[in-house]
Structure formats: structure tokens, C-alpha cells
Amino acid sequence: MTEMLGTQHHPPPSSVCDPGWWRRRQRVMSDPLLCRNAWRGHIQDPASQRLTWNKSPKSVLVIKKIRDASLLQPFKELCAYLMEENNMVVYVEKKVLEDPALLSDDHFGPVKRKFCTFREDYDDISNQIDLIICLGGDGTLLYASSLFQGSVPPVMAFHLGSLGFLTPFNFENFQSQVTQVIQGNAAVVLRSRLKVRVVKEPRGKKVAVPNGISENGLLAASLDMEVGKQAVQYQVLNEVVIDRGPSSYLSNVDVYLDGHLITTVQGDGVIVSTPTGSTAYAAAAGASMIHPNVPAIMVTPICPHSLSFRPIVVPAGVELKIMLSPEARNTAWVSFDGRKRQEIRHGDSISITTSCYPLPSICVRDPVSDWFESLAQCLHWNVRKKQAHFPEDEEDADEEGGEERAGS
């Protein structure tokens, strides 16, 4: 894969990958002189993060929303442009080309024969892709994240879906925008992901591993047995959701932070999300919306049976561990970015921390402008009719009345 040098500054989320980061931070904060000197420096501007290529990208993965006829023409135009104008190798999922409309299009035949195809859960293409282009809604970006369990290539997402909070590009002038990205003339935001490790008690049920690849794309070797337990790892862009599933009882799960029990969730469940996921399910559950440049993990209860249980934000470097409480009357269910839903029973555990592999999302302008644009256009944040000002005669009457009261 073509090496991406990343950004000109080291983003805050990557600091949690350094084992000595927390110790150095504690030393600075405990030393008044060092602390004063640290604050004299310039705080990093998120808009300064730029995409930089070591060499021009040669292979691109195009992800198209399945079963959407309105995307066929944009898909064909984009792929033809990438192959014929930029001489790039284009990868697509095999089932995309199995669309009857594409199979019957004779004019698209010469382009179709040049594609490199793959099958999810069977073929590992993570080391062959330099750039990802998404056509659709936010789900295409989440799907792209799930395909890369390690380092993720830069992602350029076109808004051709229903919401489009994470897909800032319009398709009308895609040629010039794609050219700018290939030339490295673009800003980028590093969206932190969660590294999630699910450890389960063995229950005599074997996991089918087709062609040496597990269901989430990890090599079968990662399905290791730790003290007789089975462990699977996921990279999550939006959120991990633990809920009560089909049971009518409250979910009852214990939440540990760095090995210490901090609370027991009694309610419909709990959401552990990234800043990117703070505008998704967590926002619907009453959490605050956090800019993706902020290094943090959000913990948001779902309909808690307690009026005082408010959402909280914890540092990105901590490790959360979630288990069924011993008193739990039923099992729980967990999903990762809305996928891979599975049951959690007594003795199973879910460990969550910030991943060392963020998702580089390419911006139209810059991380701050794009985020507020999405808040306004997609979520209609703080939209209301403006308050009318007082007419001039009423203002004069109020001033005269005030003077008379002061004189009396």
C-alpha cells in the first residue's frame, strides 16, 4: 500500500498508543514550571492537518451503496474516470458488479473487465489499497472502516445517501475534487476508532472460519484461546452498543474503568462511542456532540432506571470493561457499528479502548468547518426563527419610562 505520511502534526488520539504518554503528562502537570512552559506553546489547530502522500496513489477501493439504482450512473462515471484518466487500479466488492443493471450494460463492459474484485469476510485487501472512495450515505464509511482492522487508507466520501453527516463531498464536480485529493491538496481529520476485544466462555460451539478469515475480516490466528476462552477483536468507528435484546427485563451490566468498578447500568443498555459516534445513536440518547479531534470516549446510558445517570466523557487512554452483573436476570446483546450482533452471557467480557488506527477522513474545507456544516445541514443544530427586535417607538417609550422612574 502506498505509504501515507499522515498529517503535519501528531494528532492527540495517537498519543494513547505510547505507553509512556500518561507518565510524561503526569510529570508535566505535577511540575508548576513545566506546566507554565507547556501552556506557553501554541495549541494545535485542527484545520492544520493536511493529507500528504509519499508517492501518488495507484490503487483505489470504491464502495457503493448496494441496491440503489440512483448510484449506478455516478459509480460508472467515477470508475471510468479513475481508470481511464488517472490509470488507477480500482477495487470493488464482487456483489456490486453482480447488479443486473451493470451486467446488461454493454457500454460499461470494457471498464468492468478492468476491475479487481473481492469478497467480504473472505479476501483481505487491506495491504493493497491506497485510497478509499465512498458513494452513498454514512453507512458506506462505517463499512469501509470494518474492512480495515489495522491501518486505514484515506477515505473520500461523497454524499449520495439520506443523511450524509460523515460524507461531505458533493458529486457534481467530482473530477476536480478527486484530482485535488490525488495531488495531496486536501485537509484531513483523523477519526479515532475503538479497539474492542470480546472474550467469551467456551460453550462447545465452533466458529466457522472460511478460507482462513474470520467473520470480521481478521485472520483466524486472532481467534486465540486465553485461559480456555475465545477472544475476537473489532475496530469500531461509531459505537459499541450493549442492550437487553429481546428480553423484557432491564439490562444489568457492570462497567469497569482501568480495573475499577465505576457503575452498574440498569436500563435498556449502554452506548460506548467515539467522538465521531457522538452525533449518532449517542446523540439520540441525550449525549453531547463532540468534535472528532477531541481525544475521548463517551459512555451514554440508554433509558436508565435512574434520573441521575447522565452521559459521561472519559479520557481516550483508559480501558473500559463491561460484563454482566452477577445479579443480572438475563443476557445482554452487543453490536459494533450496528453489525456483528451477538449475545453476551455470564463470564463473557467486552474490553474497549481507543485504537491506534484512526480513520483518516478527507475534508472538503477543514475539520472544523466541515463539522459545523454537517451539524447545520444534517441535524439542523440550533435552528429556530430569530427573535424580532422592538419597534423604535416602543424602545423610545421604554427609555422615557425609565427616565421618569429614575427622576421620581
Side-chain angles (χ1 to χ4, degrees):
M1 185 176 76
T2 301
E3 181 181 359
M4 186 193 74
L5 297 183
T7 60
Q8 297 173 347
H9 302 278
H10 295 292
S14 65
S15 59
V16 299
C17 306
D18 179 2
W21 168 77
W22 180 253
R23 291 191 297 272
R24 291 195 297 274
R25 181 183 183 276
Q26 291 289 78
R27 182 171 63 87
V28 169
M29 299 306 292
S30 62
D31 188 320
L33 180 60
L34 288 176
C35 189
R36 286 197 301 270
N37 290 337
W39 284 110
R40 288 175 185 170
H42 180 67
I43 301 299
Q44 178 191 344
D45 179 8
S48 67
Q49 297 178 349
R50 307 292 299 181
L51 175 67
T52 305
W53 298 104
N54 192 24
K55 57 181 179 179
S56 180
K58 297 299 181 184
S59 60
V60 56
L61 169 63
V62 177
I63 296 177
K64 184 186 81 70
K65 185 178 179 182
I66 305 296
R67 296 183 298 276
D68 191 336
S70 66
L71 297 181
L72 290 176
Q73 189 59 33
F75 172 75
K76 290 188 286 187
E77 292 179 8
L78 173 65
C79 293
Y81 175 75
L82 293 171
M83 291 181 183
E84 298 171 358
E85 300 295 330
N86 294 277
N87 196 29
M88 299 184 76
V89 178
V90 178
Y91 286 79
V92 295
E93 194 171 3
K94 188 175 181 180
K95 62 184 177 183
V96 171
L97 298 182
E98 294 172 352
D99 191 309
L102 290 178
L103 292 174
S104 60
D105 189 344
D106 296 332
H107 296 289
F108 193 62
V111 175
K112 187 170 61 178
R113 285 191 289 270
K114 297 179 182 179
F115 281 113
C116 293
T117 61
F118 73 97
R119 296 172 299 169
E120 184 189 8
D121 299 337
Y122 285 86
D123 302 315
D124 183 10
I125 60 169
S126 58
N127 292 324
Q128 303 173 40
I129 304 301
D130 301 327
L131 173 67
I132 303 173
I133 298 180
C134 297
L135 302 177
D138 293 346
T140 58
L141 191 70
L142 297 174
Y143 177 66
S145 172
S146 70
L147 295 176
F148 295 84
Q149 296 298 304
S151 179
V152 187
V155 181
M156 183 181 191
F158 285 95
H159 175 33
L160 292 167
S162 55
L163 183 61
F165 193 92
L166 305 177
T167 54
F169 287 91
N170 291 319
F171 195 76
E172 286 75 14
N173 55 341
F174 76 92
Q175 295 96 334
S176 61
Q177 296 181 113
V178 170
T179 299
Q180 287 186 350
V181 169
I182 293 175
Q183 294 174 350
N185 184 22
V188 66
V189 56
L190 293 179
R191 299 184 179 275
S192 63
R193 297 196 293 174
L194 298 175
K195 181 178 74 173
V196 186
R197 190 172 182 83
V198 180
V199 180
K200 291 188 175 184
E201 293 278 2
R203 295 182 177 90
K205 183 179 178 180
K206 295 184 178 180
V207 179
V209 183
N211 200 26
I213 304 294
S214 69
E215 65 168 356
N216 65 322
L218 291 175
L219 293 177
S222 66
L223 293 174
D224 57 301
M225 303 298 289
E226 294 183 348
V227 196
K229 297 185 178 183
Q230 187 182 72
V232 184
Q233 187 169 296
Y234 302 89
Q235 296 284 333
V236 176
L237 179 61
N238 258 4
E239 74 269 305
V240 180
V241 178
I242 297 98
D243 59 66
R244 59 189 175 92
S247 173
S248 59
Y249 293 109
L250 294 173
S251 69
N252 195 340
V253 296
D254 293 334
V255 180
Y256 296 82
L257 190 149
D258 287 342
H260 301 285
L261 178 65
I262 57 171
T263 192
T264 297
V265 179
Q266 297 182 91
D268 282 354
V270 62
I271 306 167
V272 180
S273 60
T274 64
T276 294
S278 70
T279 51
Y281 194 177
S288 296
M289 295 182 290
I290 301 179
H291 189 275
N293 276 112
V294 178
I297 299 175
M298 298 189 66
V299 180
T300 306
I302 306 171
C303 298
H305 200 250
S306 169
L307 296 178
S308 61
F309 196 169
R310 307 305 305 157
I312 61 172
V313 179
V314 297
V318 304
E319 181 181 61
L320 296 170
K321 189 172 184 178
I322 299 175
M323 303 178 67
L324 277 179
S325 298
E327 301 82 11
R329 297 182 178 181
N330 56 299
T331 62
W333 288 76
V334 61
S335 60
F336 314 92
D337 284 341
R339 306 183 56 177
K340 312 298 182 186
R341 187 167 171 82
Q342 54 195 267
E343 191 173 16
I344 299 298
R345 303 182 180 183
H346 286 284
D348 301 343
S349 66
I350 305 167
S351 299
I352 306 170
T353 189
T354 300
S355 170
C356 291
Y357 301 106
L359 184 143
S361 181
I362 299 172
C363 306
V364 172
R365 288 185 291 175
D366 61 75
V368 175
S369 300
D370 282 14
W371 192 66
F372 279 101
E373 180 72 13
S374 293
L375 287 181
Q377 296 299 321
C378 300
L379 300 184
H380 304 290
W381 178 61
N382 197 27
V383 173
R384 74 178 295 273
K385 188 176 181 180
K386 287 192 174 182
Q387 186 180 52
H389 63 80
F390 285 124
E392 293 183 0
D393 54 348
E394 290 187 18
E395 291 180 355
D396 294 340
D398 289 343
E399 291 177 0
E400 290 175 0
E403 292 174 357
E404 290 177 359
R405 288 193 296 273
S408 61

